[in-house]
Amino acid sequence: MDFSAITVLCVGDVMLDRFLYGRMERISPEAPVPVLLLDNRREMPGGAGNVASNILSLGGRAVLVGLTGQDEAGATLRAALANRERLCDATCVSPVRPTICKTRFIAAHQQVVRVDEESRTALETHEAEKLCAAISAHMAQVQAVVVSDYGKGVCAPAVLEHLFAQARHLGVPVFVDPKSTDYSLYRGAACITPNARELAAASALPVESEAQVETAARTVMELAEAQAILATRSEKGMMLVRRNGPALSVPARAREVFDVSGAGDTVIATMALAVGAGMSFEQAMRVANAAAGVVVGKLGTATADIGEVLRELDDQDASGEGEETMAPLLSLEAMRGQVDRWRARGLKVGFTNGCFDILHPGHVSLLAQARAACDRLVVALNTDASVRRLKGETRPVNTLEARATVMGALRMVDAVVAFDADTPLETIRALMPDVLVKGADYTAETVVGADLVLGAGGRLVLADLRQGHSTTAIIGRARSE
């Protein structure tokens, strides 16, 4: 998983996050308030700037568009941005508003008070023109756009209208972290990523259960004419609701620390990078869920680097959390999730199918050749009813459960799924493997699903056969003895 060639345009409310750490040892003689003795300070880009930081941490490139003021906080923020490799600072200086600055005073690991500096006046015409010019200057060089709307003025209707028109013209997907409850402002978004509270406010619907979340998401999706809604649900995980497709949920892993500060920035940054790199929404969601899992395990606003995300994906594979990975036979939906996680790690997925009723050396040879052609091998087994239609009423000798148990125990096989149709075409269509494997007694024209896989840029492998081995022959010999 390499995002080094992906550049994301981050547009929104840029802030300076300032943390002042100290000790409280006495009460002020001037007023009944504690005195904070300052020990340390830390300053970093916040808001849309934190989205850009996440993109850099994950290995991508970012262009940051927003407003800063002609003040000390603005100078500090611009200096921080200038020190970031792979970041293009395209922020605009406003002569009429201050830099948004959030100053947090912290003592004994507790936030004592936060002081916000910002202007709540509407965006002025000259400010909007500067922002639109910056968007136009960079849109053609990016693979995705993130709109980070904190409701501080940058994401005004005129700016959003210009941004979506530019993105639509160039075919660049736009991801929105919303603040407004009027999702028509985000019309044409590829994906909008509200948290549960934001989704409830925008839809005016309850969002306690998964069914309620899906209903609310489809409601706001229509308003925004969006392709998808990704609802983040804190410790409940996240749900992807697509315009054309069923909803898909993934759980959050249990953590000793569960601090959601900045997790939304991480999710949208990861989604934009992953889809910009060619992943599907489903694959991108699983990577984003892993990245969010890394971040919520850290105290305070944090980012996840690509190594941490890959390790998290490995841990999810090992634990099987949220999937049926401990079972010898996966449902098609669980298999799709497993394939998505493998692909998110850059692994090539192979696929072969058959009855595999009584395993023999010919089967073992085919499976070994199949596994050598890919990083992970999926074997699709005909159900018992499907085998009877193909082989007759006396077959199969072994039930589907028995065949799946034996198949899943082979070191060449990484996962097993079943199909009830006469051919695995719909299973292949759902999984879209990178490598399709059948025996050399087939041709490219006769392998079911070969046109789909090859058309998607995949590969067909016709494995050499070991002569003299077949299940039918084994059954015949057993009956003659």
Side-chain angles (χ1 to χ4, degrees), residues 323-467:
E323 301 289 351
E324 302 165 48
T325 51
M326 297 307 293
L329 184 65
L330 301 188
S331 68
L332 183 57
E333 186 61 29
M335 183 65 81
R336 287 180 62 180
Q338 182 65 73
V339 168
D340 284 346
R341 292 202 302 278
W342 285 334
R343 284 217 180 89
R345 292 163 54 197
L347 302 176
K348 290 192 178 298
V349 178
F351 179 98
T352 192
N353 67 278
C355 301
F356 294 100
D357 192 4
I358 299 176
L359 279 181
H360 53 68
H363 289 145
V364 174
S365 175
L366 182 143
L367 294 170
Q369 292 176 68
R371 187 59 169 78
C374 60
D375 299 310
R376 296 290 184 270
L377 178 61
V378 174
V379 176
L381 298 176
N382 296 73
T383 63
D384 293 348
S386 178
V387 174
R388 280 192 294 273
R389 291 195 301 270
L390 293 173
K391 303 290 186 179
E393 289 300 319
T394 61
R395 300 281 297 276
V397 173
N398 294 297
T399 65
L400 173 62
E401 289 73 18
R403 290 180 283 131
T405 299
V406 173
M407 186 63 64
L410 298 178
R411 61 179 176 81
M412 302 89 78
V413 178
D414 295 288
V416 184
V417 69
F419 63 98
D420 193 51
D422 291 342
T423 76
L425 181 61
E426 291 308 313
T427 304
I428 293 170
R429 194 189 305 278
L431 302 180
M432 285 305 295
D434 304 293
V435 183
L436 183 60
V437 182
K438 287 295 285 185
D441 51 340
Y442 286 83
T443 65
E445 292 73 28
T446 58
V447 175
V448 171
D451 54 338
L452 290 176
V453 174
L454 294 173
R459 188 159 64 100
L460 175 66
V461 173
L462 299 178
D464 294 333
L465 297 179
R466 292 191 61 172
Q467 300 301 318

Side-chain angles (χ1 to χ4, degrees), residues 13-36:
D13 298 300
V14 180
M15 310 174 190
L16 179 67
D17 278 344
R18 179 173 279 160
F19 298 84
L20 301 180
Y21 299 90
R23 290 165 286 140
M24 291 189 300
E25 298 179 341
R26 62 191 178 93
I27 300 298
S28 170
E30 303 168 354
V33 294
V35 175
L36 183 69

Side-chain angles (χ1 to χ4, degrees), residues 124-170:
E124 296 194 6
T125 301
H126 64 90
E127 294 174 318
E129 289 174 347
K130 283 184 178 181
L131 291 167
C132 290
I135 291 167
S136 296
H138 295 282
M139 185 68 78
Q141 287 79 48
V142 304
Q143 286 71 51
V145 176
V146 169
V147 173
S148 188
D149 186 358
Y150 278 79
K152 306 298 184 183
V154 167
C155 298
V159 175
L160 292 178
E161 184 178 344
H162 177 81
L163 182 150
F164 279 106
Q166 290 271 302
R168 185 167 53 251
H169 175 69
L170 294 170

Side-chain angles (χ1 to χ4, degrees), residues 17-24 36-44 103-112 299-301:
D17 278 344
R18 179 173 279 160
F19 298 84
L20 301 180
Y21 299 90
R23 290 165 286 140
M24 291 189 300
L36 183 69
L37 184 62
L38 189 63
D39 290 329
N40 189 23
R41 66 190 294 153
R42 189 163 60 103
E43 294 159 327
M44 64 190 69
T103 303
R104 300 164 176 88
F105 294 86
I106 299 170
H109 306 293
Q110 296 289 328
Q111 187 174 144
V112 179
L299 285 172
T301 302

Side-chain angles (χ1 to χ4, degrees), residues 267-279:
V267 167
I268 200 166
T270 310
M271 288 293 294
L273 280 171
V275 173
M279 292 186 189

Side-chain angles (χ1 to χ4, degrees), residues 251-301:
R253 295 183 70 205
R255 307 281 167 181
E256 291 185 12
V257 176
F258 203 94
D259 187 339
V260 297
S261 303
D265 294 338
T266 301
V267 167
I268 200 166
T270 310
M271 288 293 294
L273 280 171
V275 173
M279 292 186 189
S280 67
F281 284 142
E282 295 90 337
Q283 294 164 349
M285 177 185 66
R286 295 182 186 280
V287 182
N289 190 50
V294 171
V295 168
V296 300
K298 302 177 181 180
L299 285 172
T301 302

